[in-house]
Amino acid sequence: MRAALGVASECAPLVKTGGLADVVGALPAALAPEGWQLRTLLPGYRQVIAALGPAPAVLAQADLFGGPGRVLAGRAGGLDLLVLDAPHLYDRAGTPYLDLAGHDWPDNPERFAALAWMAARIASEGTEGWKPEVLHLHDWQAGLAPVYLSARGDAVASVLTIHNIAFHGLAPADRLWRLRLPPEGFTPDGFEYYGHISALKAGLVQATRLSTVSPTYARELATPAFGMGLEGVIRSRAGDLVGILNGIDTTLWDPAADPHVLPFRSAAGKALNRARLIAEFGLGPGEGPVCVVVSRLSDQKGLDLLLQAAPALTDRGGRLALLGSGDRALENAWLKAADTSDRIGVRIGFDEALAHRMFAGGDAVLVPSRFEPCGLTQLYGLRYGAVPVVALTGGLADTVIAANDAALAAGVATGLQFWPLTVEALAAALLRLCELHADRGLWTRMQRNAMRHPVGWAASAAAYARLYESAVAAQ
Ligand code: ADP
Ligand code: GLC
């Protein structure tokens, strides 16, 4: 087996705020059949240290950005982990990024610089005879690792995967010294971004290879509309960037063996889960499709548009169950919508088991994102026969076969796509959804297609293995 080290701020099932965690948690098992042993370096948040239990320290650093740190080696959640135990950085109540009041931790730049720093040390020194050939870095939290590696004079191959280019990991310029960054890198060709330090840009410029989580997002990233100010850097590295679609863990997400749901193998078997979902959300009667949304409530996800377009669904007997959390104003707006319509049910919070029940019970899953690097909930929807209704962007464009006339004639449609990102276009898609749902034969065919669509990791794991190999060869 060849050795690689994944470096990330989240990893399911231990710590999760979004899809990044699912992907980081799934990659090791996906890559093993490709001949790669992928260990994962994570920050030692409270729940990660607790899940790890007693574990030996394999590397220590007396002064890790304001206190001592050590790397613990062990297993938890079915994963082979290296955990950065540094209580001054990670032993706190809150999420990986926010305090209990919902504000960014002021020392986030140092917290994740420390992660990148230790990744670079492991890559160049190894731990107890184990040394990765390649670092697989995820998002800005790991972006500084190639800078630290080259500052050490070490050439270890690295792959940076962009899960979301909206988050740059910015720090004020006067933190340069505290972040132990080489001042000569603070230029527009390096990690400087409009007078700030950008951890993401550092990785984009210096990693051996780049990837993102869908082919369409890889193309979108090179445009001003999606590149979030980094489109120039992306274009300069176009030859080193590939889009590799996310898969899902088809063992954890298996409708026939999911402990959170009443197991089912075909669309017909969804009926009991549907009834249970309607009861759980207290939805009133209606003949139309039962739609679900499981999402972070942030501007990215377009759920403000859905709020306005929802009458197109509910006026036709459709119903909507939403599970999400995030933006307070959006949370309140959705709670208010649920108060005013008995065809809308809302749960604010993060609830993994409920998410499973929703995909199992829903006829359709709605994903009206303004941008979506890949998106996982449409994949869960496909697997569980909840037909995806998605915006035509990013990975949503790459994973759903839209029910246009050609796809319907060929009998291959798996969902609906809409564009542009307007209330009108979304409302039209919801109207179309109601029409398709009313045609029982057609609807059952679409559900069956959806459930058969391959959503596992096999093809993408092979693509990652090739990417690792090309990074090693290029270094
Ligand atoms: P993103 O990473 O941008 O949030 P993805 O669709 O890639 O979007 O992944 C979101 C992941 O988080 C999915 O696994 C989804 O089921 C899960 N998720 C999002 N919000 C919630 C929630 N409130 N409760 C449970 N799971 C959630
Ligand atoms: C990000 C993106 C999402 C993607 C996930 C995992 O959070 O917003 O589209 O599926 O990362 O790659």
Side-chain angles (χ1 to χ4, degrees):
M1 291 284 266
R2 300 179 70 176
L5 178 67
V7 186
S9 58
E10 300 185 24
C11 181
L14 302 172
V15 48
K16 165 168 169 176
T17 73
L20 169 67
D22 297 83
V23 173
V24 172
L27 277 175
L31 276 158
E34 299 295 328
W36 282 91
Q37 179 213 16
L38 180 57
R39 300 177 89 183
T40 309
L41 175 68
L42 293 178
Y45 311 117
R46 279 184 185 169
Q47 70 268 47
V48 174
I49 296 286
L52 191 67
V58 293
L59 201 63
Q61 171 108 17
D63 175 22
L64 186 68
F65 300 90
R70 41 187 209 144
V71 175
L72 309 175
R75 293 191 64 85
L79 295 156
D80 188 355
L81 297 178
L82 295 172
V83 172
L84 180 51
D85 180 27
H88 64 294
L89 299 173
Y90 308 125
D91 182 14
R92 330 174 162 176
T95 82
Y97 320 112
L98 309 174
D99 65 18
L100 289 174
H103 302 123
D104 281 344
W105 296 110
D107 58 348
N108 272 346
E110 287 77 15
R111 295 172 72 233
F112 296 107
L115 184 73
W117 178 273
M118 286 313 252
R121 271 197 67 192
I122 295 167
S124 51
E125 297 166 28
T127 65
E128 316 229 298
W130 183 86
K131 197 163 178 289
E133 281 183 74
V134 56
L135 284 180
H136 189 169
L137 311 168
H138 297 273
D139 275 351
W140 73 265
Q141 293 88 355
L144 292 174
V147 179
Y148 295 137
L149 267 176
S150 63
R152 297 172 66 101
D154 273 325
V156 178
S158 55
V159 168
L160 173 70
T161 297
I162 306 159
H163 293 266
N164 195 334
I165 207 161
F167 302 105
H168 291 189
L170 295 182
D174 62 13
R175 304 271 265 274
L176 207 58
W177 180 80
R178 265 172 68 186
L179 294 172
R180 302 181 188 172
L181 290 167
E184 63 275 14
F186 190 69
T187 68
D189 292 340
F191 50 76
E192 188 250 1
Y193 182 80
Y194 295 104
H196 280 67
I197 299 159
S198 165
L200 180 63
K201 191 176 170 197
L204 293 178
V205 171
Q206 292 220 23
T208 321
R209 289 281 185 268
L210 305 177
S211 78
T212 189
V213 290
S214 70
T216 296
Y217 194 58
R219 289 192 297 276
E220 289 173 341
L221 283 176
T223 69
F226 291 93
M228 307 265 176
L230 289 169
E231 57 275 11
V233 190
I234 293 287
R235 281 201 293 270
S236 74
R237 298 223 49 199
D240 296 323
L241 169 69
V242 293
I244 302 177
L245 218 45
N246 287 334
I248 60 170
D249 183 329
T250 49
T251 319
L252 279 177
W253 295 91
D254 179 0
D258 184 335
H260 302 298
V261 312
L262 304 166
F264 61 100
R265 287 182 189 282
S266 71
K270 284 176 66 86
L272 287 174
N273 287 293
R274 187 178 191 267
R276 196 163 84 161
L277 181 68
I278 290 169
E280 184 164 7
F281 275 82
L283 298 173
E287 291 303 311
V290 172
C291 300
V292 299
V293 174
V294 179
S295 185
R296 290 187 290 120
L297 298 182
S298 80
D299 191 57
Q300 173 188 346
K301 302 295 180 177
L303 296 169
D304 51 324
L305 303 174
L306 180 60
L307 204 50
Q308 296 178 64
L313 178 73
T314 51
D315 290 352
R316 284 171 189 81
R319 288 168 283 179
L320 178 56
L322 177 139
L323 167 64
S325 61
D327 183 282
R328 291 286 142 82
L330 211 46
E331 289 181 355
N332 290 332
W334 274 101
L335 286 169
K336 199 166 146 220
D339 275 348
T340 35
S341 168
D342 74 340
R343 289 188 169 150
I344 298 181
V346 170
R347 292 283 178 284
I348 301 301
F350 196 96
D351 187 336
E352 189 78 32
L354 177 57
H356 284 246
R357 295 200 293 279
M358 291 173 73
F359 297 116
D363 296 312
V365 54
L366 310 183
V367 196
S369 307
R370 293 192 162 88
F371 66 94
E372 196 61 78
C374 180
L376 297 179
T377 63
Q378 83 280 13
L379 301 180
Y380 301 138
L382 288 169
R383 178 105 167 119
Y384 283 66
V387 167
V389 180
V390 303
L392 185 62
T393 186
L396 303 174
D398 294 332
T399 52
V400 174
I401 303 175
N404 57 32
D405 289 347
L408 287 176
V412 296
T414 61
L416 282 82
Q417 286 172 333
F418 69 94
W419 192 257
L421 240 296
T422 59
V423 175
E424 293 72 28
L426 175 52
L430 294 174
L431 176 62
R432 180 85 178 117
L433 173 72
C434 293
E435 286 168 6
L436 292 173
H437 180 257
D439 183 333
R440 290 214 69 76
L442 210 153
W443 184 257
T444 308
R445 179 77 185 258
M446 262 175 71
Q447 278 185 313
R448 198 171 347 136
N449 291 342
M451 292 182 78
R452 285 182 186 160
H453 188 88
V455 289
W457 272 103
S460 297
Y464 273 116
R466 285 196 297 274
L467 185 63
Y468 290 1
E469 280 145 27
S470 98
V472 172
Q475 195 59 52

